[in-house]
Coordinates of all heavy atoms in Angstrom, one line a residue:
N1 N 9.1 -121.2 43.9 CA 10.3 -120.7 43.1 C 11.3 -120.0 44.0 O 11.0 -119.0 44.6 CB 9.8 -119.6 42.1 CG 10.9 -119.2 41.1 OD1 12.0 -119.3 41.4 ND2 10.5 -118.6 40.0
A2 N 12.4 -120.7 44.2 CA 13.4 -120.2 45.2 C 14.1 -118.9 44.8 O 14.7 -118.3 45.7 CB 14.4 -121.3 45.4
T3 N 13.9 -118.5 43.6 CA 14.6 -117.2 43.2 C 13.7 -116.0 43.5 O 14.2 -114.9 43.3 CB 14.8 -117.2 41.7 OG1 13.6 -117.1 40.9 CG2 15.6 -118.5 41.2
Q4 N 12.5 -116.2 44.0 CA 11.6 -115.1 44.3 C 11.2 -115.1 45.8 O 11.5 -116.0 46.5 CB 10.4 -115.3 43.4 CG 10.7 -115.2 41.9 CD 9.5 -115.5 41.0 OE1 8.5 -116.0 41.4 NE2 9.6 -115.0 39.8
R5 N 10.5 -114.0 46.2 CA 10.1 -113.9 47.6 C 8.7 -113.1 47.6 O 8.5 -112.1 46.8 CB 11.1 -113.1 48.4 CG 12.4 -113.7 48.6 CD 12.4 -115.0 49.4 NE 13.8 -115.5 49.5 CZ 14.4 -116.3 48.7 NH1 13.8 -116.7 47.6 NH2 15.6 -116.7 49.0
Y6 N 7.8 -113.6 48.4 CA 6.5 -113.0 48.5 C 6.1 -112.9 50.0 O 6.6 -113.7 50.9 CB 5.5 -113.8 47.8 CG 5.8 -113.9 46.3 CD1 6.4 -115.1 45.8 CD2 5.5 -112.9 45.4 CE1 6.7 -115.1 44.4 CE2 5.8 -112.9 44.1 CZ 6.4 -114.1 43.6 OH 6.7 -114.2 42.2
L7 N 5.1 -112.1 50.3 CA 4.6 -111.9 51.7 C 3.4 -112.9 51.9 O 2.5 -112.9 51.0 CB 4.2 -110.5 51.9 CG 3.7 -110.2 53.4 CD1 4.9 -110.3 54.3 CD2 3.1 -108.8 53.4
Y8 N 3.4 -113.6 53.0 CA 2.3 -114.4 53.4 C 1.9 -114.1 54.8 O 2.7 -113.5 55.6 CB 2.7 -115.9 53.3 CG 3.0 -116.5 51.9 CD1 4.2 -116.2 51.3 CD2 2.0 -117.2 51.2 CE1 4.5 -116.7 50.0 CE2 2.2 -117.7 50.0 CZ 3.5 -117.5 49.4 OH 3.7 -118.0 48.1
K9 N 0.8 -114.6 55.2 CA 0.4 -114.5 56.6 C 0.0 -115.9 57.1 O -0.5 -116.7 56.3 CB -0.7 -113.5 56.9 CG -2.1 -113.9 56.3 CD -3.2 -112.9 56.8 CE -4.5 -113.3 56.3 NZ -5.6 -112.4 56.8
I10 N 0.2 -116.2 58.3 CA -0.1 -117.4 58.9 C -0.7 -117.2 60.3 O -0.2 -116.3 61.0 CB 1.1 -118.4 59.0 CG1 0.8 -119.8 59.3 CG2 2.2 -117.8 60.0 CD1 0.3 -120.6 58.1
P11 N -1.7 -117.8 60.8 CA -2.3 -117.6 62.1 C -1.3 -117.9 63.2 O -0.6 -118.9 63.2 CB -3.5 -118.5 62.2 CG -3.9 -118.8 60.7 CD -2.6 -118.8 60.0
L12 N -1.3 -117.0 64.2 CA -0.4 -117.2 65.4 C -0.8 -118.4 66.2 O 0.1 -118.9 67.0 CB -0.4 -115.9 66.2 CG 0.7 -114.9 65.9 CD1 0.5 -113.6 66.7 CD2 2.1 -115.5 66.0
N13 N -2.0 -118.9 66.1 CA -2.4 -120.0 67.0 C -2.0 -121.3 66.3 O -2.1 -122.4 67.0 CB -3.9 -120.0 67.2 CG -4.7 -120.1 66.0 OD1 -4.2 -120.5 64.9 ND2 -6.0 -119.7 66.1
G14 N -1.4 -121.3 65.1 CA -0.9 -122.5 64.5 C -2.0 -123.4 63.9 O -1.7 -124.5 63.4
N15 N -3.2 -122.9 63.8 CA -4.3 -123.7 63.4 C -4.9 -123.4 62.0 O -5.9 -123.9 61.5 CB -5.5 -123.7 64.4 CG -5.1 -124.2 65.7 OD1 -4.3 -125.2 65.8 ND2 -5.6 -123.7 66.8
G16 N -4.2 -122.5 61.3 CA -4.7 -122.0 60.0 C -3.8 -122.3 58.9 O -2.7 -122.9 59.1
K17 N -4.1 -121.9 57.7 CA -3.3 -122.1 56.5 C -2.5 -120.9 56.1 O -2.8 -119.8 56.5 CB -4.2 -122.6 55.4 CG -5.2 -121.5 54.9 CD -6.0 -122.0 53.7 CE -6.9 -120.9 53.1 NZ -7.7 -121.4 52.0
L18 N -1.6 -121.1 55.2 CA -0.7 -120.1 54.7 C -1.5 -119.3 53.6 O -2.1 -119.9 52.7 CB 0.5 -120.7 54.1 CG 1.7 -119.8 53.7 CD1 2.3 -119.2 54.9 CD2 2.7 -120.6 52.8
T19 N -1.5 -118.0 53.7 CA -2.3 -117.1 52.8 C -1.3 -116.1 52.2 O -0.6 -115.4 52.9 CB -3.4 -116.4 53.5 OG1 -4.3 -117.3 54.1 CG2 -4.2 -115.6 52.5
K20 N -1.3 -116.1 50.8 CA -0.4 -115.2 50.1 C -1.0 -113.8 50.2 O -2.2 -113.6 49.9 CB -0.2 -115.6 48.7 CG 0.8 -114.8 47.9 CD 1.1 -115.4 46.5 CE 2.1 -114.7 45.8 NZ 2.4 -115.2 44.4
I21 N -0.2 -112.8 50.5 CA -0.6 -111.4 50.6 C -0.1 -110.6 49.4 O -0.9 -109.7 48.9 CB -0.1 -110.7 51.9 CG1 -0.6 -111.5 53.1 CG2 -0.5 -109.3 52.0 CD1 -2.1 -111.5 53.3
T22 N 1.1 -110.8 48.9 CA 1.6 -110.1 47.8 C 0.7 -110.3 46.5 O 0.4 -111.4 46.2 CB 3.0 -110.5 47.4 OG1 3.8 -110.4 48.6 CG2 3.6 -109.6 46.3
L23 N 0.4 -109.2 45.8 CA -0.5 -109.3 44.7 C 0.2 -110.0 43.5 O 1.5 -109.9 43.4 CB -1.0 -108.0 44.3 CG -1.8 -107.2 45.4 CD1 -2.3 -105.9 44.9 CD2 -3.0 -108.1 45.8
G24 N -0.6 -110.5 42.6 CA 0.0 -111.3 41.5 C 0.8 -110.6 40.5 O 1.6 -111.1 39.7
N25 N 0.7 -109.2 40.4 CA 1.4 -108.5 39.5 C 2.8 -108.1 39.9 O 3.5 -107.4 39.3 CB 0.7 -107.2 39.1 CG 0.3 -106.3 40.3 OD1 0.0 -106.9 41.3 ND2 0.4 -105.0 40.1
F26 N 3.2 -108.6 41.1 CA 4.6 -108.3 41.6 C 5.4 -109.6 41.6 O 5.8 -110.2 42.6 CB 4.5 -107.8 43.0 CG 3.9 -106.4 43.1 CD1 2.6 -106.2 43.6 CD2 4.6 -105.3 42.7 CE1 2.0 -105.0 43.7 CE2 4.1 -104.0 42.8 CZ 2.8 -103.8 43.2
E27 N 5.6 -110.1 40.4 CA 6.4 -111.4 40.3 C 7.9 -111.1 40.3 O 8.4 -110.5 39.4 CB 6.0 -112.1 39.0 CG 6.6 -113.4 38.8 CD 6.2 -114.2 37.6 OE1 5.0 -113.9 37.1 OE2 6.9 -115.0 37.1
G28 N 8.5 -111.5 41.4 CA 9.9 -111.3 41.5 C 10.3 -111.3 43.0 O 9.8 -112.2 43.7
V29 N 11.1 -110.4 43.5 CA 11.5 -110.4 44.9 C 10.8 -109.2 45.6 O 11.0 -108.1 45.1 CB 13.1 -110.2 45.0 CG1 13.5 -110.0 46.4 CG2 13.7 -111.5 44.5
N30 N 10.1 -109.5 46.6 CA 9.3 -108.5 47.4 C 9.8 -108.5 48.8 O 9.9 -109.6 49.4 CB 7.8 -108.9 47.3 CG 7.3 -108.8 45.9 OD1 6.8 -107.8 45.5 ND2 7.3 -110.0 45.2

C-alpha cells in the first residue's frame, strides 16, 4: 500500500528476507 509506511529489517549480508517490525495495530504512516 503506497499510502502507508512501516518499519522493516533486512540482513546486512544480503542473504536474508525482509521482516516487518511495525506491529499490526499501527496501520497508517509510521
Side-chain angles (χ1 to χ4, degrees):
N1 186 338
T3 71
Q4 300 176 338
R5 299 292 183 271
Y6 300 100
L7 185 68
Y8 292 81
K9 70 173 182 178
I10 193 80
L12 269 174
N13 60 17
N15 297 326
K17 65 177 183 178
L18 190 69
T19 303
K20 189 176 182 179
I21 300 298
T22 306
L23 301 179
N25 56 321
F26 293 105
E27 184 174 335
V29 172
N30 298 270

